[in-house]
Amino acid sequence: REFRRLNVLADVVYNKRLSSGKGRLSLTKNISKSGICLIAYEELKELDLLDLKIHLPESKAPISAVGRVVWVRDFIIGDVAYGKRFDIGIEFIEINKEDLNQIDKYLFQMKP
């Protein structure tokens, strides 16, 4: 990996790019300067483009980015009928410098 990932639970609102649907709330599993892994209740497809609003802990404003789904893995929590979730690996393809600096600062502060 080019950038170190930090395991962190942060709220993310995502929406498929150019979709008129309402954004969906999710949680990150980890984050790096190049992307995030989030937990979704719906299966997304590789190459889907997502508008992202990432709410890092203790951050005043959300980070805005556009990401591309690069991998999807399903898993089950509890009941098989209702517990299907998806880990979604997302690469940032559009993010402004200020938001990238905010991620970098957060990662540096949380470094073990």
Side-chain angles (χ1 to χ4, degrees):
R1 297 216 164 169
E2 185 178 351
F3 296 105
R4 187 174 76 87
R5 292 197 171 268
L6 179 69
N7 292 332
V8 62
L9 291 178
D11 287 337
V12 178
V13 176
Y14 70 91
N15 200 7
K16 287 185 183 178
R17 193 80 202 247
L18 306 177
S19 166
S20 60
K22 186 178 172 193
R24 297 195 180 234
L25 180 63
S26 181
L27 282 174
T28 62
K29 285 183 76 172
N30 60 52
I31 190 167
S32 79
K33 283 180 67 172
S34 63
I36 62 172
C37 175
L38 63 81
I39 302 166
Y41 289 83
E42 65 177 320
E43 184 172 10
L44 298 170
K45 305 285 185 241
E46 285 185 25
L47 305 180
D48 277 352
L49 295 179
L50 305 176
D51 291 313
L52 304 164
K53 297 280 186 207
I54 305 164
H55 300 265
L56 290 177
E58 302 170 21
S59 182
K60 290 180 175 65
I63 291 168
S64 295
V66 175
R68 178 187 306 119
V69 175
V70 291
W71 55 263
V72 178
R73 294 188 192 115
D74 64 331
F75 64 97
I76 304 293
I77 296 178
D79 188 291
V80 175
Y82 301 103
K84 193 165 193 178
R85 306 286 187 276
F86 301 90
D87 282 344
I88 310 290
I90 300 168
E91 171 188 28
F92 296 139
I93 59 170
E94 289 178 29
I95 185 168
N96 71 40
K97 195 170 200 160
E98 292 80 22
D99 285 340
L100 201 54
N101 287 339
Q102 189 177 342
I103 291 172
D104 199 31
K105 182 179 173 185
Y106 181 78
L107 292 171
F108 181 78
Q109 289 173 347
M110 301 307 291
K111 189 185 282 189

